[in-house]
Amino acid sequence: MSTVDPLLALVRPEIRAISAYKTPLDPLPIKLDANESPFGLPADVMADLAERVRALPLERYPDLEVRALKQALGRWLDTSPSRLVVGVGSDESIGVLLTAVARPRASKAPVIVVPEPTFVMYAQTARVLGLEPVSVPLAGRDFALDVPRTIDTIRAHQAVLAFLASPNNPTGVAHADDALLAIAEACPDTMIVVDEAYGAFRPMILGRRASHREALRPHLATRARNVVFLGTLSKIGLASLRIGWVEASEALAHELDKVRLPYDVPGPTQLLGAAVLDVHRAALDAQIG
């Protein structure tokens, strides 16, 4: 008689071959692995947020369409709320993108391309969803993006998607706008996902913080039509709220929203996120600056 649990045998081998994402549970004197902000919001801001939560009807489902939070994020990002798909942190946003391009009944797993090293959840989530991650080593001691090799790899594997985090985790390197644009232009049939989870920490350029969104926006209708952006509020002091988003064209955002689970963003997260962005934005800006 077989000693293998028959239910475990139903779990796909690639799931059994990976480990769950874990972080240390014991209290630590210094904790850096999560890249959380070391600063809390001011006491008066916290008091106002507590009053807002007090009136939240916990017996009701949250807003299915995440309207107030999307509108607040739209103002924060200077974009249309119809271009945003909000989720539970960047992790759900990554899952939404990969689920949308996965092809469960295909004879060959679709390929995604990622730099190496980079955020582990790109490849982890891809494997869970039945896609094949292919890595491209970052170049040199400065961990630069190897543009020709990345383009060649995307083309060779006919990759459906490539994740390019900038600034990158864990290297901290911010890639050049021209490098991202060159990859997007050379691979028009591949979704190029620019992850700006750490975008607030790019170097000061011309006296202001310049994002890839700002630099690439003029090209989104022409040379970079295949670029979408990932973002999160987790790294600028709101990690507990787990707010992440995809920014894409309205047409693509409409399709991606079909993948998002219903009522995925909790009511307190929607309420507090919108309040911080709209009412207490100065406090949030102070966290960043």
Side-chain angles (χ1 to χ4, degrees):
M1 178 181 295
S2 173
T3 58
V4 177
D5 186 324
L7 296 183
L8 284 180
L10 296 175
V11 177
R12 291 170 17 230
E14 58 267 36
I15 302 298
R16 299 201 303 270
I18 62 178
S19 301
Y21 187 87
K22 299 286 187 181
T23 59
L25 297 178
D26 295 333
L28 301 172
I30 299 176
K31 186 175 185 293
L32 301 178
D33 66 295
N35 297 321
E36 297 156 319
S37 171
F39 309 111
L41 291 170
D44 61 325
V45 174
M46 292 297 293
D48 176 71
L49 297 179
E51 284 301 313
R52 293 172 185 271
V53 171
R54 192 188 305 274
L56 185 68
L58 296 180
E59 72 279 8
R60 302 296 185 189
Y61 282 108
D63 179 8
L64 179 67
E65 299 181 17
V66 202
R67 286 167 293 186
L69 179 54
K70 284 175 68 173
Q71 290 165 3
L73 280 169
R75 289 186 285 272
W76 167 268
L77 298 168
D78 188 25
T79 193
S80 169
S82 61
R83 295 174 60 92
L84 299 175
V85 180
V86 181
V88 183
S90 290
D91 301 288
E92 185 182 21
S93 298
I94 291 166
V96 164
L97 287 166
L98 291 175
T99 301
V101 299
R103 297 165 188 162
R105 290 173 295 280
S107 59
K108 182 179 182 297
V111 167
I112 72 160
V113 169
V114 294
E116 180 64 35
T118 194
F119 184 40
V120 298
M121 290 307 295
Y122 302 144
Q124 177 95 336
T125 308
R127 292 188 180 98
V128 167
L129 293 173
L131 295 97
E132 178 186 353
V134 174
S135 63
V136 179
L138 293 169
R141 298 181 65 179
D142 59 352
F143 296 104
L145 194 60
D146 190 331
V147 173
R149 188 168 179 180
T150 300
I151 291 172
D152 289 345
T153 302
I154 290 172
R155 289 175 169 174
H157 292 276
Q158 297 181 314
V160 295
L161 185 150
F163 283 107
L164 302 173
S166 181
N168 185 40
N169 173 13
T171 64
V173 173
H175 303 308
D177 296 316
D178 288 346
L180 301 178
L181 185 58
I183 293 170
E185 192 170 24
C187 306
D189 297 326
T190 299
M191 188 184 299
I192 306 300
V193 181
V194 178
D195 187 347
E196 292 197 276
Y198 295 90
F201 305 107
R202 292 189 72 194
M204 296 292 287
I205 301 174
L206 300 177
R208 63 184 177 87
R209 296 187 184 277
S211 71
H212 291 302
R213 293 176 60 258
E214 292 174 289
L216 299 182
R217 180 177 285 174
H219 306 291
L220 293 181
T222 53
R223 301 170 60 193
R225 298 179 65 180
N226 52 332
V227 171
V228 303
F229 299 96
L230 278 179
T232 180
L233 298 181
S234 292
K235 305 306 177 184
I236 56 175
L238 298 177
S240 184
L241 294 185
R242 305 296 294 126
I243 295 172
W245 63 86
V246 178
E247 182 182 358
S249 67
E250 290 188 11
L252 180 56
H254 175 74
E255 299 303 320
L256 295 176
D257 200 50
K258 300 174 185 178
V259 178
R260 186 174 61 87
L261 294 175
Y263 305 113
D264 56 337
V265 184
T269 289
Q270 295 190 37
L271 174 70
L272 296 177
V276 171
L277 290 172
D278 277 343
V279 181
H280 299 295
R281 182 167 176 173
L284 196 59
D285 287 338
Q287 296 262 82
I288 301 169

